[in-house]
Amino acid sequence: MSQERAVTASAVPLEELSSWPEELCRRELPSVLPRLLSMYQHSDSWIEHIQILKIIVEMFLPHMNHLTLEQTFFSQVLPKTVRLFDDMMYELTSQARGLSSQNLEIQTTLRNILQTMVQLLGALTGCVQHVCATQESIILENIHSLPSSVLHVIKSTFIHCKNSESVYSGRLHLVSDLLQALFKEAYSLQKQLMELLDMVCMDPLIDENDDILNMVVVIHSLLDICSVISSMDHAFHANTWKFIIKQSLKHQSVIKSQLKHKDIITSLCEDILFSFHSCLQLAEQMTQSDAQDNTDYRLFQKTLKLCRFFANSLLHYTKEFLPFLSDSCCTLHQLYLQVHSKFPPSLYAAGISKAQQEEIAGAFLVTLDPLVSQLLKFQPFVEVVLDSKLELPCELQFPQCLLLVVIMDELPSQPEDVQTLWCTESQVSEATTRVSLLKAIFSSFEQCSGELSLPVHLQEVKSKGQTEVAVTLYQHVCVHLCTFIASLHPSLFPELDTALLNAVLSANMITSLLAMDAWCFLARYGTAELCAHHVTIVAHLIKSCPGECHQLTSLSVLLRRLFFFMTPPQQVEFIQKFSPKEAENLLLWQYISFQALPAELRTQTALEVSRSGTAQCRKWLSSSRTLGELEALNTVLSALLAVCNSASEALDMGQQTAVKEVGSQLWALLNIKLVTGQPYVQQTLCLLLPLLGFFIQTLDPQLVSQVITLQTSLLKSEPPDHVRLAVLDFLSSLGKLFIPQAIQDKILPHLSSVFALLLADRNWLLEQHSLEAFTQFAEGTNHEEIVPQCLSSEETKKKVVSFLEKTGFVDETAAARVERVRQEKGTFWEPFAKVTVEEAKKSSLQPSAKRARHELPLEEEYRSALQAATAALEAIELLLQKSPPPDWLLTKMETLQERIDKLKHHVFWGEN
């Protein structure tokens, strides 16, 4: 009888099966299920497939053994279900292009497919709900076909819905109701699946099994879905991410080695940047809009909340899986840079209001600093941030500088080994070197030329309890650098010394200045002995410089500044060690301000420098006056000028007269040919002009006339800029001078000519100095009749009037200035060349190796005579190798040497 009933049951039509009572379904399950599964596998009709699937799920699934669901049902049905869904999706996409309101056949076909797909998703939802309802704890292996199949179908559905505008070619409204139903069904199915997966339990003691791999596949499938729905439903997107993070942490102990952490971090960072950019766009729209739209503001707040959620998720995930994030450090680094590149005060930031800036900073940006704190101890992150070959585009250079400052602020609270990791250089591999944090700070700061020149301002609290104030980037970096130096571990002092010295020697002026400021802080913060030690080191470095170069300029400024921080006893020791009585030490005293010395010591030292300097000048004047000795003479003149500028009150009348006399005698040797032909002579002129200008009231009028006459001729030959600036310095001092009537005709015409030439100069720096010098002269001179004569053209007159009235400036808006600076930075920025010692030697003020050749009538005779003299000397050299020299030879050679020196003198000074 039971066999007869089984046969009868197996032959029941599908329509009748759907009306069977629950008890009959339970009883007939063993006989009916195989038939239904067979029909499902062999059916060619989508409608029949869905009908069979719904009957199995609704009528018979509740009566199956939950421990054998995978073998008896899921593994046999779901693969075919996925293929069926893919076939329907293909058909749907293929025919969608032909959809129109006139073609009812295609419209009906597409709507039927969509309805079938909605039913298929409903059946899968029933499978998931059943598993959730019948099991308190789920072993993933027992249902492993279900999650993978469901996730595949969900992803395909979301992709189709996302691309529906393009798929249906403007006819979306004909199927929009069913697409909406499809999306809702997929949405509901995913929520049910996440509820199911939340019930999954995994044995933490098992390292390798199928459950682990299945869970990893599930998490990464959900990750793929996140990338699809990110722009479709923000809340659903966030909930999916929340689930991914939750499951990753829940099963952390067993899946941590299998997860593709880089994919998760990359996707999370991409979503952070996408939501952040959306937030900025909304803020910018509100700023540009006159009326405050509450709808826009609510959307802005919602998007900002999403930013914060993603950032906190990243923070949480990073904290738990940090050891596995080696290959994600570059992505995390770029995230920080990209965010700050789009946010004020970056030159590339969106234009948003102050209120929105504060909201974004308070809700979102505050989460990035804790992220950096977590990564501080992670060596791969250190190597990414401090990579010696790190090349960043213009818009990311400023954020890099901010990041390094944040790291610098965090390090004092870290253990010594972490500080050492950041502050020491290391060879990571053959191709990669990790620079020290201090070196990176200076290098990054150097690249922020646009931000420094604008300048951008950052908000900073100067002390606890006070409101924020705006500070420039220079102030921001300098203050934080000095704070870091104050807390630096003693074992890292050598790295600090190296970084400061290298930065001081940098070719970039603003970087060198920052290093000097930090060094001066160190001198004040440290002990007096440390300051004295540093001054001595800098002094020796200056004395070892090969010639004029930017390194020497920077070291001289540093010496001048550090000297102010020395105690009087240490200053006395310095004077004894580098006594100005010794000519070789005048090289140092030209850079020292005598105002740094106590009154009595200032007077004593200034007199020593003055006496030593005038003595050296007289010695040079009484010698053969060769070109090789001119460099030392310039050093002496520079030292005398330093005394006049900072300790003139220390010089008595006799010493002032001595300085003035040697200056006058030296000027008498200058001529236009010398000055235009030799850089060292130009330097001599540039030193003599301010030195003579200091004594302008007591100078011989004839000498003043000679100076102005030479200047007139010199300017017509277009000398270098530094020579013209020296001329301007002298001219500005002439306003104090009353010129005697007898010599006015010689001086005033030349004076007006010189001013006219300089005021017409197109170089903006020289133009500014010319206007300042002319104004100073015009305001002080008693010879008012000369002032109009200096204004040789209408253009010059307008220029002077604009300068005096402070008009004629370009009216540039703040936005226009930012745009200009941004373009300039993008166009002109290049890494500054590292100047080596050899390059410094080449760039120093050396005499010309070869003069420009002029074909003179007697040139061949000169060459022939010189060759004959050379041959005669070679002959004497050969004779000395053969036999001892006669007694008279040495006397004759000394006489010959004197004649050679005289000839050199004639050649150099152009005398006949």
Side-chain angles (χ1 to χ4, degrees), residues 66 77 126 132 220 238 296 308 310 329 431 439 463 482 557 597 691 798 817 871 875:
H66 68 272
V77 171
C132 290
H220 284 285
D296 283 348
R308 183 178 177 86
F310 286 137
C329 289
K439 182 177 180 179
S463 59
C482 292
V557 174
L597 296 166
L691 194 62
K798 289 179 182 178
R817 188 178 184 200

Side-chain angles (χ1 to χ4, degrees), residues 16 122 362 478 537 708:
E16 187 176 331
C478 187
I537 290 175
I708 296 175

Side-chain angles (χ1 to χ4, degrees), residues 891-908:
T891 304
K892 291 290 185 182
M893 289 184 70
E894 288 175 350
T895 304
L896 187 61
Q897 181 64 52
E898 290 176 4
R899 293 188 67 180
I900 291 174
D901 288 341
K902 286 181 180 179
L903 287 172
K904 285 169 63 179
H905 178 83
H906 291 319
V907 170
F908 177 66

Side-chain angles (χ1 to χ4, degrees), residues 827-844:
T827 302
F828 298 115
W829 186 87
E830 290 181 1
F832 289 98
K834 304 295 185 289
V835 181
T836 63
V837 174
E838 288 302 317
E839 289 171 325
K841 289 179 180 177
K842 293 176 183 177
S843 66
S844 60

Side-chain angles (χ1 to χ4, degrees), residues 521-539:
F521 168 80
L522 180 61
R524 296 185 67 181
Y525 183 81
T527 62
E529 290 74 17
L530 179 64
C531 177
H533 176 62
H534 283 169
V535 169
T536 302
I537 290 175
V538 173

Side-chain angles (χ1 to χ4, degrees), residues 685-704:
L685 176 126
C686 290
L687 292 167
L688 283 175
L689 283 174
L691 194 62
L692 294 174
F694 187 79
F695 300 104
I696 193 68
Q697 298 285 16
T698 57
L699 278 187
D700 182 358
Q702 289 294 340
L703 178 59
V704 175

Side-chain angles (χ1 to χ4, degrees), residues 549-570:
C549 53
H550 71 82
Q551 293 95 333
L552 176 59
T553 302
S554 298
L555 287 171
S556 63
V557 174
L558 179 61
L559 175 65
R560 181 185 180 90
R561 295 181 63 182
L562 289 178
F563 202 77
F564 277 92
F565 302 124
M566 296 179 76
T567 62
Q570 291 170 338

